[in-house]
Amino acid sequence: MELYRSPYEAYPFLCDSAEVLRCDFELLTDEMASRTGLLRAQTEKIVQKSFGCADSGV
């Protein structure tokens, strides 16, 4: 029985074989982007608390 696969899948590369590194690269870049966004948000909070600014100017 073959499963239906939508042409609009968010991560179609997850079905690739283990030898294909595209999956690893895509997941790594997604994680790096998420961590970068979190770091920026946390840094802005620290700046605002430290200097009492409403806007950090970033």
Side-chain angles (χ1 to χ4, degrees):
M1 181 174 139
E2 188 174 322
L3 294 177
Y4 170 75
R5 296 206 39 206
S6 169
Y8 306 107
E9 290 179 273
Y11 297 102
F13 54 82
L14 292 176
C15 296
D16 291 347
S17 66
E19 293 79 25
V20 178
L21 297 178
R22 182 174 49 173
C23 176
D24 295 337
F25 177 76
E26 291 286 339
L27 293 175
L28 176 65
T29 54
D30 283 355
E31 181 180 356
M32 288 172 56
S34 295
R35 289 180 183 247
T36 301
L38 178 62
L39 177 63
R40 180 170 186 224
Q42 295 299 320
T43 303
E44 287 178 0
K45 284 182 184 178
I46 292 170
V47 168
Q48 289 173 359
K49 284 183 180 179
S50 298
F51 298 107
C53 308
D55 183 20
S56 64
V58 178

